[in-house]
Amino acid sequence: LDTHSSGRQAKPYMASWESFLEAKNSEVAEGPGKTLGAAIVSCEVFVRAEAELRVIGSALSSWLVSVLCALLAVGAFTRSIGLSATATFAIFATAACSLYAITVAFHWHFGLMEAVSLIIFCGFSVDYPLHVVQAYVHERSNGAGVRQALKEVAGAVAAGCITTCGAALFLLLCEIRIFTRFGQVLIVN
């Protein structure tokens, strides 16, 4: 175990230390040193591992809350349940496909970076469907339909995608691994 170990790698060591200290604390509690109090495990690697495991454990619920917030926001902008559900499904599907790509195509294990990326996916995925749906609402009120709405926003959405990918390309050149991974995450999304 070193300082760069993941939470999953550190967990067995944490469990061993905790069971060892539990046994020692029960010995001390029954003996003359009971006034000393209980010993605890305190190690930077264990603290980081515990935080990582908690973030990973809460990632799915956080993602679902983000999708729900996106549904409410799109609903507030469009005032249409059907359009909101469609846009939210697009947001959900984009984030799910992006997550699939980084875990299956890139062969990354679901760790801290992927857990945080899941929330980022949802945030980035809201922008483009919201523009398309808003353009559709506007065009529908003018008597036009989906085709005209897509013509109206396609250039802006494509330009936003290109500039995001272009900015992320520079992150791929970084020496620090988390920045290169973040660049890959942005491009995939």
PDB file of all heavy atoms in Angstrom, residues 97-126:
ATOM      1  N   CYS A  97     -24.187   6.979 -21.944  1.00  0.00           N
ATOM      2  CA  CYS A  97     -23.278   6.566 -23.025  1.00  0.00           C
ATOM      3  C   CYS A  97     -21.848   7.013 -22.751  1.00  0.00           C
ATOM      4  O   CYS A  97     -20.889   6.282 -23.030  1.00  0.00           O
ATOM      5  CB  CYS A  97     -23.755   7.114 -24.364  1.00  0.00           C
ATOM      6  SG  CYS A  97     -25.241   6.308 -24.976  1.00  0.00           S
ATOM      7  N   SER A  98     -21.697   8.208 -22.214  1.00  0.00           N
ATOM      8  CA  SER A  98     -20.357   8.701 -21.868  1.00  0.00           C
ATOM      9  C   SER A  98     -19.735   7.842 -20.772  1.00  0.00           C
ATOM     10  O   SER A  98     -18.549   7.492 -20.838  1.00  0.00           O
ATOM     11  CB  SER A  98     -20.421  10.155 -21.414  1.00  0.00           C
ATOM     12  OG  SER A  98     -20.899  10.972 -22.438  1.00  0.00           O
ATOM     13  N   LEU A  99     -20.529   7.487 -19.784  1.00  0.00           N
ATOM     14  CA  LEU A  99     -20.035   6.620 -18.718  1.00  0.00           C
ATOM     15  C   LEU A  99     -19.655   5.250 -19.266  1.00  0.00           C
ATOM     16  O   LEU A  99     -18.620   4.690 -18.909  1.00  0.00           O
ATOM     17  CB  LEU A  99     -21.073   6.483 -17.611  1.00  0.00           C
ATOM     18  CG  LEU A  99     -20.656   5.645 -16.414  1.00  0.00           C
ATOM     19  CD1 LEU A  99     -19.467   6.286 -15.700  1.00  0.00           C
ATOM     20  CD2 LEU A  99     -21.816   5.478 -15.457  1.00  0.00           C
ATOM     21  N   TYR A 100     -20.476   4.723 -20.158  1.00  0.00           N
ATOM     22  CA  TYR A 100     -20.171   3.441 -20.798  1.00  0.00           C
ATOM     23  C   TYR A 100     -18.845   3.537 -21.558  1.00  0.00           C
ATOM     24  O   TYR A 100     -18.014   2.633 -21.485  1.00  0.00           O
ATOM     25  CB  TYR A 100     -21.308   3.051 -21.744  1.00  0.00           C
ATOM     26  CG  TYR A 100     -21.029   1.807 -22.537  1.00  0.00           C
ATOM     27  CD1 TYR A 100     -21.226   0.550 -21.979  1.00  0.00           C
ATOM     28  CD2 TYR A 100     -20.554   1.878 -23.840  1.00  0.00           C
ATOM     29  CE1 TYR A 100     -20.956  -0.598 -22.690  1.00  0.00           C
ATOM     30  CE2 TYR A 100     -20.284   0.741 -24.569  1.00  0.00           C
ATOM     31  CZ  TYR A 100     -20.480  -0.505 -23.999  1.00  0.00           C
ATOM     32  OH  TYR A 100     -20.207  -1.624 -24.714  1.00  0.00           O
ATOM     33  N   ALA A 101     -18.652   4.639 -22.280  1.00  0.00           N
ATOM     34  CA  ALA A 101     -17.429   4.794 -23.072  1.00  0.00           C
ATOM     35  C   ALA A 101     -16.184   4.804 -22.196  1.00  0.00           C
ATOM     36  O   ALA A 101     -15.189   4.152 -22.519  1.00  0.00           O
ATOM     37  CB  ALA A 101     -17.504   6.076 -23.904  1.00  0.00           C
ATOM     38  N   ILE A 102     -16.221   5.532 -21.086  1.00  0.00           N
ATOM     39  CA  ILE A 102     -14.995   5.606 -20.282  1.00  0.00           C
ATOM     40  C   ILE A 102     -14.738   4.333 -19.487  1.00  0.00           C
ATOM     41  O   ILE A 102     -13.592   4.003 -19.211  1.00  0.00           O
ATOM     42  CB  ILE A 102     -14.956   6.847 -19.358  1.00  0.00           C
ATOM     43  CG1 ILE A 102     -16.018   6.777 -18.283  1.00  0.00           C
ATOM     44  CG2 ILE A 102     -15.016   8.115 -20.145  1.00  0.00           C
ATOM     45  CD1 ILE A 102     -15.873   7.843 -17.221  1.00  0.00           C
ATOM     46  N   THR A 103     -15.791   3.606 -19.124  1.00  0.00           N
ATOM     47  CA  THR A 103     -15.556   2.381 -18.348  1.00  0.00           C
ATOM     48  C   THR A 103     -15.300   1.178 -19.237  1.00  0.00           C
ATOM     49  O   THR A 103     -14.530   0.298 -18.867  1.00  0.00           O
ATOM     50  CB  THR A 103     -16.733   2.083 -17.400  1.00  0.00           C
ATOM     51  OG1 THR A 103     -17.939   2.018 -18.139  1.00  0.00           O
ATOM     52  CG2 THR A 103     -16.827   3.126 -16.311  1.00  0.00           C
ATOM     53  N   VAL A 104     -15.931   1.121 -20.413  1.00  0.00           N
ATOM     54  CA  VAL A 104     -15.753  -0.039 -21.294  1.00  0.00           C
ATOM     55  C   VAL A 104     -14.692   0.227 -22.357  1.00  0.00           C
ATOM     56  O   VAL A 104     -13.750  -0.551 -22.514  1.00  0.00           O
ATOM     57  CB  VAL A 104     -17.103  -0.444 -21.930  1.00  0.00           C
ATOM     58  CG1 VAL A 104     -16.913  -1.559 -22.937  1.00  0.00           C
ATOM     59  CG2 VAL A 104     -18.082  -0.872 -20.854  1.00  0.00           C
ATOM     60  N   ALA A 105     -14.814   1.334 -23.087  1.00  0.00           N
ATOM     61  CA  ALA A 105     -13.860   1.615 -24.162  1.00  0.00           C
ATOM     62  C   ALA A 105     -12.474   1.972 -23.625  1.00  0.00           C
ATOM     63  O   ALA A 105     -11.463   1.515 -24.153  1.00  0.00           O
ATOM     64  CB  ALA A 105     -14.392   2.732 -25.045  1.00  0.00           C
ATOM     65  N   PHE A 106     -12.433   2.794 -22.583  1.00  0.00           N
ATOM     66  CA  PHE A 106     -11.147   3.195 -22.015  1.00  0.00           C
ATOM     67  C   PHE A 106     -10.634   2.215 -20.963  1.00  0.00           C
ATOM     68  O   PHE A 106      -9.517   2.339 -20.490  1.00  0.00           O
ATOM     69  CB  PHE A 106     -11.227   4.585 -21.384  1.00  0.00           C
ATOM     70  CG  PHE A 106     -11.474   5.708 -22.349  1.00  0.00           C
ATOM     71  CD1 PHE A 106     -11.888   6.932 -21.890  1.00  0.00           C
ATOM     72  CD2 PHE A 106     -11.289   5.558 -23.713  1.00  0.00           C
ATOM     73  CE1 PHE A 106     -12.114   7.986 -22.755  1.00  0.00           C
ATOM     74  CE2 PHE A 106     -11.508   6.602 -24.593  1.00  0.00           C
ATOM     75  CZ  PHE A 106     -11.932   7.809 -24.112  1.00  0.00           C
ATOM     76  N   HIS A 107     -11.475   1.283 -20.531  1.00  0.00           N
ATOM     77  CA  HIS A 107     -11.130   0.279 -19.513  1.00  0.00           C
ATOM     78  C   HIS A 107     -10.733   0.917 -18.185  1.00  0.00           C
ATOM     79  O   HIS A 107      -9.832   0.450 -17.504  1.00  0.00           O
ATOM     80  CB  HIS A 107     -10.014  -0.656 -19.994  1.00  0.00           C
ATOM     81  CG  HIS A 107     -10.348  -1.382 -21.246  1.00  0.00           C
ATOM     82  ND1 HIS A 107     -11.283  -2.389 -21.282  1.00  0.00           N
ATOM     83  CD2 HIS A 107      -9.891  -1.243 -22.524  1.00  0.00           C
ATOM     84  CE1 HIS A 107     -11.376  -2.845 -22.521  1.00  0.00           C
ATOM     85  NE2 HIS A 107     -10.547  -2.164 -23.295  1.00  0.00           N
ATOM     86  N   TRP A 108     -11.407   2.005 -17.822  1.00  0.00           N
ATOM     87  CA  TRP A 108     -11.161   2.630 -16.526  1.00  0.00           C
ATOM     88  C   TRP A 108     -12.030   1.935 -15.497  1.00  0.00           C
ATOM     89  O   TRP A 108     -13.181   1.606 -15.750  1.00  0.00           O
ATOM     90  CB  TRP A 108     -11.518   4.102 -16.547  1.00  0.00           C
ATOM     91  CG  TRP A 108     -10.679   4.966 -17.419  1.00  0.00           C
ATOM     92  CD1 TRP A 108      -9.573   4.609 -18.136  1.00  0.00           C
ATOM     93  CD2 TRP A 108     -10.896   6.350 -17.698  1.00  0.00           C
ATOM     94  NE1 TRP A 108      -9.096   5.678 -18.826  1.00  0.00           N
ATOM     95  CE2 TRP A 108      -9.875   6.763 -18.583  1.00  0.00           C
ATOM     96  CE3 TRP A 108     -11.840   7.261 -17.288  1.00  0.00           C
ATOM     97  CZ2 TRP A 108      -9.777   8.066 -19.046  1.00  0.00           C
ATOM     98  CZ3 TRP A 108     -11.749   8.553 -17.756  1.00  0.00           C
ATOM     99  CH2 TRP A 108     -10.717   8.949 -18.624  1.00  0.00           C
ATOM    100  N   HIS A 109     -11.473   1.719 -14.320  1.00  0.00           N
ATOM    101  CA  HIS A 109     -12.266   1.204 -13.210  1.00  0.00           C
ATOM    102  C   HIS A 109     -13.061   2.365 -12.640  1.00  0.00           C
ATOM    103  O   HIS A 109     -12.619   3.504 -12.661  1.00  0.00           O
ATOM    104  CB  HIS A 109     -11.371   0.597 -12.120  1.00  0.00           C
ATOM    105  CG  HIS A 109     -10.627  -0.601 -12.590  1.00  0.00           C
ATOM    106  ND1 HIS A 109     -11.236  -1.804 -12.819  1.00  0.00           N
ATOM    107  CD2 HIS A 109      -9.328  -0.781 -12.904  1.00  0.00           C
ATOM    108  CE1 HIS A 109     -10.347  -2.672 -13.238  1.00  0.00           C
ATOM    109  NE2 HIS A 109      -9.185  -2.068 -13.305  1.00  0.00           N
ATOM    110  N   PHE A 110     -14.249   2.079 -12.132  1.00  0.00           N
ATOM    111  CA  PHE A 110     -15.088   3.141 -11.587  1.00  0.00           C
ATOM    112  C   PHE A 110     -14.479   3.622 -10.277  1.00  0.00           C
ATOM    113  O   PHE A 110     -14.610   2.975  -9.251  1.00  0.00           O
ATOM    114  CB  PHE A 110     -16.531   2.656 -11.387  1.00  0.00           C
ATOM    115  CG  PHE A 110     -17.485   3.769 -11.158  1.00  0.00           C
ATOM    116  CD1 PHE A 110     -17.954   4.518 -12.216  1.00  0.00           C
ATOM    117  CD2 PHE A 110     -17.898   4.103  -9.881  1.00  0.00           C
ATOM    118  CE1 PHE A 110     -18.833   5.574 -12.016  1.00  0.00           C
ATOM    119  CE2 PHE A 110     -18.772   5.142  -9.667  1.00  0.00           C
ATOM    120  CZ  PHE A 110     -19.243   5.882 -10.738  1.00  0.00           C
ATOM    121  N   GLY A 111     -13.797   4.732 -10.349  1.00  0.00           N
ATOM    122  CA  GLY A 111     -13.133   5.301  -9.183  1.00  0.00           C
ATOM    123  C   GLY A 111     -13.598   6.728  -8.946  1.00  0.00           C
ATOM    124  O   GLY A 111     -14.665   7.146  -9.420  1.00  0.00           O
ATOM    125  N   LEU A 112     -12.791   7.477  -8.235  1.00  0.00           N
ATOM    126  CA  LEU A 112     -13.150   8.844  -7.864  1.00  0.00           C
ATOM    127  C   LEU A 112     -13.346   9.726  -9.096  1.00  0.00           C
ATOM    128  O   LEU A 112     -14.338  10.457  -9.194  1.00  0.00           O
ATOM    129  CB  LEU A 112     -12.078   9.430  -6.946  1.00  0.00           C
ATOM    130  CG  LEU A 112     -12.341  10.817  -6.399  1.00  0.00           C
ATOM    131  CD1 LEU A 112     -13.611  10.830  -5.565  1.00  0.00           C
ATOM    132  CD2 LEU A 112     -11.168  11.293  -5.574  1.00  0.00           C
ATOM    133  N   MET A 113     -12.431   9.664 -10.045  1.00  0.00           N
ATOM    134  CA  MET A 113     -12.536  10.499 -11.248  1.00  0.00           C
ATOM    135  C   MET A 113     -13.804  10.179 -12.024  1.00  0.00           C
ATOM    136  O   MET A 113     -14.502  11.083 -12.503  1.00  0.00           O
ATOM    137  CB  MET A 113     -11.300  10.290 -12.124  1.00  0.00           C
ATOM    138  CG  MET A 113     -11.305  11.052 -13.412  1.00  0.00           C
ATOM    139  SD  MET A 113     -11.249  12.816 -13.105  1.00  0.00           S
ATOM    140  CE  MET A 113     -11.411  13.443 -14.748  1.00  0.00           C
ATOM    141  N   GLU A 114     -14.135   8.916 -12.142  1.00  0.00           N
ATOM    142  CA  GLU A 114     -15.323   8.512 -12.886  1.00  0.00           C
ATOM    143  C   GLU A 114     -16.601   8.913 -12.148  1.00  0.00           C
ATOM    144  O   GLU A 114     -17.589   9.301 -12.777  1.00  0.00           O
ATOM    145  CB  GLU A 114     -15.302   7.007 -13.146  1.00  0.00           C
ATOM    146  CG  GLU A 114     -14.200   6.560 -14.076  1.00  0.00           C
ATOM    147  CD  GLU A 114     -12.813   6.580 -13.433  1.00  0.00           C
ATOM    148  OE1 GLU A 114     -12.711   6.457 -12.200  1.00  0.00           O
ATOM    149  OE2 GLU A 114     -11.830   6.738 -14.176  1.00  0.00           O
ATOM    150  N   ALA A 115     -16.572   8.834 -10.828  1.00  0.00           N
ATOM    151  CA  ALA A 115     -17.726   9.241 -10.031  1.00  0.00           C
ATOM    152  C   ALA A 115     -17.994  10.732 -10.190  1.00  0.00           C
ATOM    153  O   ALA A 115     -19.142  11.159 -10.369  1.00  0.00           O
ATOM    154  CB  ALA A 115     -17.513   8.894  -8.559  1.00  0.00           C
ATOM    155  N   VAL A 116     -16.946  11.529 -10.144  1.00  0.00           N
ATOM    156  CA  VAL A 116     -17.103  12.977 -10.336  1.00  0.00           C
ATOM    157  C   VAL A 116     -17.505  13.266 -11.778  1.00  0.00           C
ATOM    158  O   VAL A 116     -18.348  14.126 -12.043  1.00  0.00           O
ATOM    159  CB  VAL A 116     -15.801  13.712  -9.946  1.00  0.00           C
ATOM    160  CG1 VAL A 116     -15.859  15.179 -10.321  1.00  0.00           C
ATOM    161  CG2 VAL A 116     -15.531  13.557  -8.454  1.00  0.00           C
ATOM    162  N   SER A 117     -16.937  12.507 -12.729  1.00  0.00           N
ATOM    163  CA  SER A 117     -17.267  12.693 -14.140  1.00  0.00           C
ATOM    164  C   SER A 117     -18.740  12.437 -14.411  1.00  0.00           C
ATOM    165  O   SER A 117     -19.338  13.074 -15.282  1.00  0.00           O
ATOM    166  CB  SER A 117     -16.426  11.770 -15.015  1.00  0.00           C
ATOM    167  OG  SER A 117     -15.063  12.082 -14.896  1.00  0.00           O
ATOM    168  N   LEU A 118     -19.316  11.515 -13.704  1.00  0.00           N
ATOM    169  CA  LEU A 118     -20.728  11.205 -13.886  1.00  0.00           C
ATOM    170  C   LEU A 118     -21.595  12.438 -13.632  1.00  0.00           C
ATOM    171  O   LEU A 118     -22.532  12.713 -14.391  1.00  0.00           O
ATOM    172  CB  LEU A 118     -21.122  10.068 -12.943  1.00  0.00           C
ATOM    173  CG  LEU A 118     -22.492   9.463 -13.092  1.00  0.00           C
ATOM    174  CD1 LEU A 118     -22.657   8.857 -14.479  1.00  0.00           C
ATOM    175  CD2 LEU A 118     -22.705   8.394 -12.038  1.00  0.00           C
ATOM    176  N   ILE A 119     -21.260  13.190 -12.617  1.00  0.00           N
ATOM    177  CA  ILE A 119     -22.003  14.416 -12.311  1.00  0.00           C
ATOM    178  C   ILE A 119     -21.704  15.476 -13.371  1.00  0.00           C
ATOM    179  O   ILE A 119     -22.605  16.200 -13.825  1.00  0.00           O
ATOM    180  CB  ILE A 119     -21.645  14.945 -10.909  1.00  0.00           C
ATOM    181  CG1 ILE A 119     -21.778  13.857  -9.862  1.00  0.00           C
ATOM    182  CG2 ILE A 119     -22.487  16.165 -10.547  1.00  0.00           C
ATOM    183  CD1 ILE A 119     -23.110  13.173  -9.831  1.00  0.00           C
ATOM    184  N   ILE A 120     -20.452  15.560 -13.794  1.00  0.00           N
ATOM    185  CA  ILE A 120     -20.066  16.516 -14.835  1.00  0.00           C
ATOM    186  C   ILE A 120     -20.791  16.203 -16.138  1.00  0.00           C
ATOM    187  O   ILE A 120     -21.236  17.100 -16.840  1.00  0.00           O
ATOM    188  CB  ILE A 120     -18.536  16.526 -15.012  1.00  0.00           C
ATOM    189  CG1 ILE A 120     -17.879  17.116 -13.767  1.00  0.00           C
ATOM    190  CG2 ILE A 120     -18.129  17.308 -16.258  1.00  0.00           C
ATOM    191  CD1 ILE A 120     -16.383  16.962 -13.718  1.00  0.00           C
ATOM    192  N   PHE A 121     -20.913  14.914 -16.461  1.00  0.00           N
ATOM    193  CA  PHE A 121     -21.637  14.517 -17.666  1.00  0.00           C
ATOM    194  C   PHE A 121     -23.038  15.103 -17.674  1.00  0.00           C
ATOM    195  O   PHE A 121     -23.504  15.615 -18.684  1.00  0.00           O
ATOM    196  CB  PHE A 121     -21.757  12.993 -17.765  1.00  0.00           C
ATOM    197  CG  PHE A 121     -20.493  12.266 -18.068  1.00  0.00           C
ATOM    198  CD1 PHE A 121     -20.366  10.941 -17.707  1.00  0.00           C
ATOM    199  CD2 PHE A 121     -19.446  12.876 -18.715  1.00  0.00           C
ATOM    200  CE1 PHE A 121     -19.215  10.240 -17.989  1.00  0.00           C
ATOM    201  CE2 PHE A 121     -18.286  12.189 -19.004  1.00  0.00           C
ATOM    202  CZ  PHE A 121     -18.166  10.859 -18.635  1.00  0.00           C
ATOM    203  N   CYS A 122     -23.693  15.003 -16.559  1.00  0.00           N
ATOM    204  CA  CYS A 122     -25.068  15.502 -16.474  1.00  0.00           C
ATOM    205  C   CYS A 122     -25.090  17.004 -16.704  1.00  0.00           C
ATOM    206  O   CYS A 122     -25.927  17.514 -17.450  1.00  0.00           O
ATOM    207  CB  CYS A 122     -25.684  15.145 -15.129  1.00  0.00           C
ATOM    208  SG  CYS A 122     -27.436  15.533 -15.047  1.00  0.00           S
ATOM    209  N   GLY A 123     -24.176  17.711 -16.085  1.00  0.00           N
ATOM    210  CA  GLY A 123     -24.129  19.163 -16.248  1.00  0.00           C
ATOM    211  C   GLY A 123     -23.851  19.588 -17.674  1.00  0.00           C
ATOM    212  O   GLY A 123     -24.518  20.481 -18.217  1.00  0.00           O
ATOM    213  N   PHE A 124     -22.885  18.944 -18.334  1.00  0.00           N
ATOM    214  CA  PHE A 124     -22.573  19.281 -19.719  1.00  0.00           C
ATOM    215  C   PHE A 124     -23.684  18.838 -20.662  1.00  0.00           C
ATOM    216  O   PHE A 124     -23.921  19.460 -21.687  1.00  0.00           O
ATOM    217  CB  PHE A 124     -21.261  18.631 -20.166  1.00  0.00           C
ATOM    218  CG  PHE A 124     -20.049  19.397 -19.745  1.00  0.00           C
ATOM    219  CD1 PHE A 124     -19.039  18.771 -19.048  1.00  0.00           C
ATOM    220  CD2 PHE A 124     -19.904  20.737 -20.058  1.00  0.00           C
ATOM    221  CE1 PHE A 124     -17.922  19.468 -18.666  1.00  0.00           C
ATOM    222  CE2 PHE A 124     -18.784  21.441 -19.673  1.00  0.00           C
ATOM    223  CZ  PHE A 124     -17.783  20.807 -18.976  1.00  0.00           C
ATOM    224  N   SER A 125     -24.352  17.761 -20.323  1.00  0.00           N
ATOM    225  CA  SER A 125     -25.377  17.207 -21.204  1.00  0.00           C
ATOM    226  C   SER A 125     -26.659  18.029 -21.213  1.00  0.00           C
ATOM    227  O   SER A 125     -27.498  17.843 -22.087  1.00  0.00           O
ATOM    228  CB  SER A 125     -25.699  15.773 -20.782  1.00  0.00           C
ATOM    229  OG  SER A 125     -24.543  14.973 -20.839  1.00  0.00           O
ATOM    230  N   VAL A 126     -26.835  18.917 -20.269  1.00  0.00           N
ATOM    231  CA  VAL A 126     -28.051  19.726 -20.201  1.00  0.00           C
ATOM    232  C   VAL A 126     -28.049  20.805 -21.282  1.00  0.00           C
ATOM    233  O   VAL A 126     -29.094  21.099 -21.877  1.00  0.00           O
ATOM    234  CB  VAL A 126     -28.199  20.378 -18.802  1.00  0.00           C
ATOM    235  CG1 VAL A 126     -29.294  21.426 -18.785  1.00  0.00           C
ATOM    236  CG2 VAL A 126     -28.458  19.322 -17.764  1.00  0.00           C
TER     237      VAL A 126
END
